Amino acid sequence: MGDAVCDRPVLSADAVRAYGLIVQGEPVPAECADAVEELAAWGFIVTGGDHRNRPVALNPADVAQRRMDAMLTEAAARVAQLSALPKVTEQLAGQYARAQWTAGAGAQYIDDAVEVNARLDDVVAGAGWEILAAQPGGPRDRAQLERSLARDTAALERGVLKRTLYMVTARDNAATAEYVRAMSSRAEYRTLAAPFERCIVVDRRVAFISNHLVEGAPEHSAWQVTDRAMVAYICAEFEGKWRLADPWHGEMRGRQVEVDTISAPGAPRTTRRQREILRDLASGKAQQSTADRLGISLRTLTGEIAELKSLFDAVSVPELTYKWALSPDRGVDDSAQVSEVQAVA
């Protein structure tokens, strides 16, 4: 059926007259050929076949009912397609986005730990003058430190300047302290109690950062950033944390624990889960994100935060995070399993 004809809201006057002639079995004048085509397009007449090209009129009520049934079936199919479109889009959007991220010029998403390490090794091996590394989450184990030793030593022997920022809890780890003592004559190390983000920057041109964008990504996924403005911003963030940090040459921290109104001497009063919640609050993470990570509802998390406010005698989340930052519990090392970019120590 021709769309141009059927888009008309009503039949033309010539089509109505032609239909009347056809119903009565009278011939239709040649000049009414367009009107006959209009009627045929709507399905109100048929031509050809046994009719010897003589148009035959059909019952308009039957034609209309058949057309309405067909259009309703088509409309139902289109509604079903419309309903499915968001779900289909969601199925494919992740694949498309990952391809775009992987192919992007300014930042590349890498979800394979082996590839992350291979790329990092390659970039560090080509370092010309500087390596900046921020390693939160607690000390690294001896195997990781030994893996980094040869690569870092080679870079330092080429005259590369290297600065590494650790969490203050690294001062309690014998393997990390030993590593820093061995390297501190040629590199700089500092520790910080306040939270900071992981990054590794080489020659202020390439940065590796942890993934905070792709939901459900593997634990060791990362982003390789080459956009100059973003790398400069990452460096500025590193320099800000570096200025607040304390120099470290590998000396072990004293084991005595300060006493405050929250923690008893020698033992934290907060649980590991409470510390996870507090660390997320202090780093500005959305509460829904924390609840999802812990596998609890937002309502349950809100209740636990209320308990923490009571424990720390705080009336707001900002006051809670402030008091948490001053508490010795802040230095408790819960990093037995650390999600990190396997990188420069």
Side-chain angles (χ1 to χ4, degrees):
M1 185 174 295
D3 290 340
V5 173
C6 296
D7 282 344
R8 297 174 185 170
V10 294
L11 291 169
S12 66
D14 286 344
V16 174
R17 285 195 299 270
Y19 184 81
L21 292 172
I22 295 169
V23 167
Q24 297 172 23
E26 298 180 10
V28 180
E31 60 268 21
C32 292
D34 289 345
V36 173
E37 290 184 6
E38 183 180 347
L39 291 168
W42 277 96
F44 290 124
I45 64 171
V46 293
T47 59
D50 296 336
H51 310 298
R52 298 179 181 179
N53 293 326
R54 183 174 62 84
V56 176
L58 302 178
N59 185 334
D62 292 342
V63 172
Q65 186 62 54
R66 287 195 298 270
R67 282 186 55 77
M68 283 192 291
D69 290 344
M71 292 173 71
L72 286 171
T73 300
E74 182 183 358
R78 290 185 179 276
V79 169
Q81 280 187 313
L82 285 171
S83 300
L85 271 176
K87 193 167 293 184
V88 172
T89 302
E90 184 180 350
Q91 285 180 300
L92 300 180
Q95 298 296 327
Y96 180 81
R98 289 189 182 216
Q100 295 298 106
W101 292 331
T102 303
Q108 293 181 299
Y109 170 66
I110 315 167
D111 64 2
D112 181 72
V114 174
E115 184 177 354
V116 171
N117 288 326
R119 290 198 185 199
L120 187 56
D121 287 346
D122 180 64
V123 173
V124 171
W129 61 280
E130 182 186 55
I131 299 172
L132 307 176
Q135 300 284 12
R140 303 172 69 197
D141 61 38
R142 190 173 295 276
Q144 292 171 333
L145 294 170
E146 289 178 353
R147 180 180 180 277
S148 302
L149 183 61
R151 180 189 58 206
D152 297 349
T153 300
L156 293 171
E157 288 178 349
R158 295 196 308 271
V160 175
L161 301 174
K162 178 173 175 287
R163 286 185 285 159
T164 301
L165 181 64
Y166 282 118
M167 289 289 293
V168 69
T169 52
R171 291 176 179 253
D172 297 327
N173 183 267
T176 306
E178 179 184 336
Y179 175 86
V180 171
R181 284 196 298 272
M183 301 290 287
S184 60
S185 61
R186 292 178 291 181
E188 292 185 69
Y189 298 88
R190 292 189 180 185
T191 61
L192 187 65
F196 56 90
E197 289 294 329
R198 188 180 315 283
C199 73
I200 297 162
V201 186
V202 177
D203 292 342
R204 304 201 173 221
R205 61 181 179 82
V206 183
F208 290 84
I209 59 176
S210 299
N211 170 58
H212 292 284
L213 179 59
V214 183
E215 294 187 5
E219 186 179 14
H220 297 288
S221 60
W223 287 79
Q224 181 175 349
V225 181
T226 53
D227 179 82
R228 292 179 62 185
M230 183 55 65
V231 172
Y233 178 81
I234 295 169
C235 290
E237 283 292 298
F238 177 91
E239 295 291 358
K241 299 300 184 183
W242 184 261
R243 287 191 293 270
L244 297 174
D246 297 318
W248 187 34
H249 302 285
E251 63 275 11
M252 296 288 288
R253 184 169 62 169
R255 302 306 298 173
Q256 68 274 14
V257 179
E258 298 178 46
V259 179
D260 69 356
T261 58
I262 303 303
S263 301
R269 186 171 297 179
T270 53
T271 65
R272 176 168 183 157
R273 173 149 144 172
Q274 287 176 324
R275 291 191 292 276
E276 287 188 47
I277 294 171
L278 287 162
R279 290 187 184 104
D280 278 5
L281 290 175
S283 64
K285 291 184 179 178
Q287 291 184 20
Q288 184 63 64
S289 175
T290 299
D292 292 342
R293 183 175 64 80
L294 296 177
I296 60 178
S297 68
L298 183 59
R299 182 176 180 178
T300 299
L301 177 65
T302 301
E304 296 196 24
I305 292 174
E307 292 179 7
L308 284 167
K309 287 180 183 177
S310 176
L311 179 64
F312 280 82
D313 192 24
V315 297
S316 65
V317 169
E319 184 181 4
L320 173 62
T321 56
Y322 173 76
K323 290 188 174 182
W324 155 247
L326 299 179
S327 168
D329 281 25
R330 180 66 183 80
V332 174
D333 184 6
D334 290 323
S335 59
Q337 296 182 0
V338 180
S339 169
E340 66 175 338
V341 175
Q342 303 291 335
V344 181

